Amino acid sequence: MSRVAHPAGPRHGDVLPADHPPAAAVDLNALEPAIWPRGARRADGVLMLGDVDVRSLAEQFGTPLYVCDADDVRSRCREYIEAFGPDARVFYAAKAFCSRAMLRWVSAEGLGVDVCTGGELEVALSAGVPPDMITLHGNNKSLDELTRAVSAGVGHIVLDSFEEIARLAFVAEPRAADSASAWPRVLVRVTTGVEAHTHEFMATAHDDQKFGFSLASGAADEAVRRVLACPGLDFAGLHSHIGSQIFDTAGFEVAARRVLELAIRIREEHGVSISELDLGGGFGIAYTPEDDAPSVKELAQSLLTIVDRQCSSAGLPRPRLTVEPGRAIVGSSTVTLYTVGTIKDVDGLRTYVSVDGGMSDNIRTALYDASYSCSLASRASAEQPMLSRVVGKHCESGDIVVRHAWLPSDLAPGDLLAVPATGAYCRSLASNYNHVPRPAVVAVSDGTASVIVRRETVEDLLSLDVG
Ligand SMILES: Cc1ncc(COP(=O)(O)O)c(C=O)c1O
């Protein structure tokens, strides 16, 4: 049955964004390269990921299902390594998606790994990431986490508060007197006051937030003073992360300038030059065809030039640059497959398409007002586009997966929908809300599929509930 198409769009309140394509401009079967994994294509109308038919993935592993194109991830790692060159380092921000397989892939491609909790640290260590290629972040690391990081020999610990400096100094104190023990190398996280042009909850360097030491208040200068006064801590340099999903390098330019001004003061006051400068991550990706993210090459050129220029104008030796991309490595690699359950036309406004997952596997739409697109994956359709909202099965009206989507008017229960660009901050932010088990993650490559994170079961959930 073909359903009523609503090409005019919603009539009340919730209008389509101006850059949303009109129905007439939509090719329902197209796969816009910027938002789909590099290996995505259609064969006889069916979506293929890593040369695997999505219908067989759904049949074998069930839905919802995160399908990760391993070659896509690895090719993006190589692009970053090549673009930033041998004098810089690229650390994958594991918070975007943290699993042993993923960390093995990025590590094999030469990236380090940035972790921000003891849990992520354990995944990295058990994946075999060399400890000196791990950086530990976090704004409230416990004594246990710091102790574990130091004893494992992680490459860098990024200090975020005065309490933490004292805590790490306590952990490192026995090493101060022992010439055979390496001292933990530390970076001081600086809050540069840059307002990145991104969602408020993703901007992390304006002054009114929880991360880092403020430059404006002098806290950053004081943090460096304290670190340098601690026997057992090896001060390596400075860290700044200005936010996420950033398309424009202007914010990095201002942040780098401010951080390097601090580096000049450190040299003047203490006679110490920083050897490391970590500018964090935050490089934006395309979530919908309307997003226009800069290429890795452009980004790298621009950051390397910024650091070179600022250092030479300040007369500073150039520190080693590190960047920490998360979503830019995994975001576009993964597609979430859902099965359509119900389809409801609401008073000529739009069609609500309910799928078998939702805010428990992708909270970003509800949390950040993020935009996604989606496509009918299990077959092609030549029907008219109908304005749809793809919603989940949770008991919340804000349980929206794709706010505005054009889907074919012959969509039916049992069809598979694919939501691209769900590799970052979807599985890692997934929850068991409404006691919905979290989906599996399957890696596809060269026509084969393997589970890298298994699906949770109701038994898993019940086993935590000890009565
Ligand atoms: C310190 C730090 N580095 C890197 C990242 C990765 O950001 P993205 O995934 O946007 O590249 C984050 C994200 O929150 C972060 O806090």
Side-chain angles (χ1 to χ4, degrees):
M1 177 194 74
S2 267
R3 312 186 70 83
V4 184
H6 306 302
R11 287 200 303 251
H12 308 299
D14 189 7
V15 290
L16 275 175
D19 63 353
H20 197 269
V26 172
D27 174 354
L28 290 172
N29 304 306
L31 301 174
E32 170 63 41
I35 58 173
W36 291 88
R38 287 170 172 165
R41 63 186 174 88
R42 284 192 189 267
D44 296 328
V46 180
L47 178 64
M48 305 286 291
L49 298 169
D51 278 337
V52 185
D53 181 321
V54 292
R55 295 169 306 182
S56 69
L57 290 170
E59 203 176 297
Q60 193 179 349
F61 304 107
T63 59
L65 185 68
Y66 301 107
V67 184
C68 174
D69 181 333
D71 301 327
D72 182 285
V73 172
R74 297 188 73 143
S75 69
R76 289 177 202 277
C77 291
R78 289 195 287 274
E79 273 176 15
Y80 262 86
I81 292 283
E82 196 182 319
F84 278 91
D87 296 335
R89 302 206 304 175
V90 182
F91 273 48
Y92 167 62
K95 66 203 71 158
F97 171 64
C98 185
S99 83
R100 284 188 279 201
M102 179 63 63
L103 300 191
R104 277 189 206 113
W105 299 334
V106 301
S107 186
E109 296 296 345
L111 276 67
V113 173
D114 131 25
V115 297
C116 66
T117 62
E120 288 182 357
L121 174 60
E122 293 307 330
V123 179
L125 292 172
S126 77
V129 177
D132 66 320
M133 289 296 279
I134 298 175
T135 297
L136 177 64
H137 279 281
N139 65 302
N140 184 16
K141 305 174 204 67
S142 68
L143 196 56
D144 283 350
E145 287 171 319
L146 292 170
T147 304
R148 174 72 171 132
V150 171
S151 66
V154 307
H156 291 92
I157 296 175
V158 182
L159 293 169
D160 201 280
S161 67
F162 291 119
E163 284 84 1
E164 200 171 85
I165 295 174
R167 235 173 259 165
L168 186 61
F170 172 75
V171 173
E173 206 178 332
R175 291 171 175 257
D178 175 4
S179 58
S181 296
W183 295 7
R185 275 174 75 70
V186 302
L187 303 173
V188 168
R189 179 157 176 173
V190 170
T191 313
T192 55
V194 173
E195 302 260 2
H197 297 283
T198 183
H199 189 283
E200 184 194 353
F201 299 153
M202 289 197 267
T204 56
H206 54 294
D207 278 319
D208 188 5
Q209 47 89 23
K210 70 173 185 171
F211 292 107
F213 294 96
S214 157
L215 269 180
S217 71
D221 296 66
E222 176 58 19
V224 174
R225 233 169 261 138
R226 292 195 195 180
V227 168
L228 288 170
C230 283
L233 299 189
D234 182 3
F235 174 65
L238 301 171
H239 181 283
S240 148
H241 171 80
I242 59 171
S244 276
Q245 190 53 6
I246 300 166
F247 281 7
D248 172 0
T249 53
F252 289 103
E253 175 135 31
V254 179
R257 195 182 65 238
R258 292 184 186 170
V259 172
L260 291 170
E261 281 164 6
L262 171 61
I264 296 170
R265 293 199 295 279
I266 293 169
R267 195 183 48 183
E268 285 167 0
E269 188 177 335
H270 309 284
V272 171
S273 292
I274 61 165
S275 56
E276 307 274 354
L277 172 63
D278 188 330
L279 287 181
F283 315 124
I285 63 165
Y287 280 98
T288 68
E290 291 70 52
D291 289 335
D292 186 17
S295 75
V296 183
K297 244 188 194 155
E298 286 167 330
L299 178 82
Q301 264 322 313
S302 159
L303 287 193
L304 290 166
T305 309
I306 287 167
V307 174
D308 267 346
R309 208 173 40 222
Q310 309 271 2
C311 285
S312 61
S313 77
L316 282 173
R318 188 151 92 51
R320 179 168 63 174
L321 175 66
T322 299
V323 288
E324 300 172 337
R327 91 184 59 228
I329 298 293
V330 290
S332 318
S333 70
T334 298
V335 167
T336 309
L337 287 182
Y338 298 100
T339 302
V340 173
T342 66
I343 302 176
K344 201 181 274 180
D345 293 324
V346 179
D347 186 24
L349 289 175
R350 73 169 79 236
T351 301
Y352 278 79
V353 176
S354 294
V355 294
D356 50 354
M359 65 194 303
S360 59
D361 58 72
N362 186 353
I363 189 68
R364 293 191 68 258
T365 308
L367 190 60
Y368 298 131
D369 203 16
S371 297
Y372 285 92
S373 68
C374 74
S375 230
L376 173 58
S378 41
R379 60 187 172 87
S381 170
E383 292 297 320
Q384 286 297 306
M386 64 178 179
L387 185 68
S388 312
R389 174 161 292 170
V390 180
V391 295
K393 63 180 288 167
H394 297 277
C395 201
E396 296 280 337
S397 51
D399 175 21
I400 296 168
V401 181
V402 185
R403 200 173 294 283
H404 309 290
W406 293 114
L407 287 170
S409 54
D410 62 345
L411 192 75
D415 278 333
L416 292 177
L417 288 187
V419 178
T422 50
Y425 306 107
C426 289
R427 178 59 177 79
S428 57
L429 283 170
S431 74
N432 294 125
Y433 181 47
N434 293 148
H435 275 58
V436 173
R438 288 177 293 179
V441 185
V442 166
V444 288
S445 172
D446 277 340
T448 60
S450 49
V451 175
I452 57 170
V453 180
R454 80 156 164 82
R455 183 178 299 283
E456 251 172 357
T457 61
V458 172
E459 290 69 42
D460 288 329
L461 301 185
L462 285 174
S463 71
L464 297 173
D465 181 343
V466 292

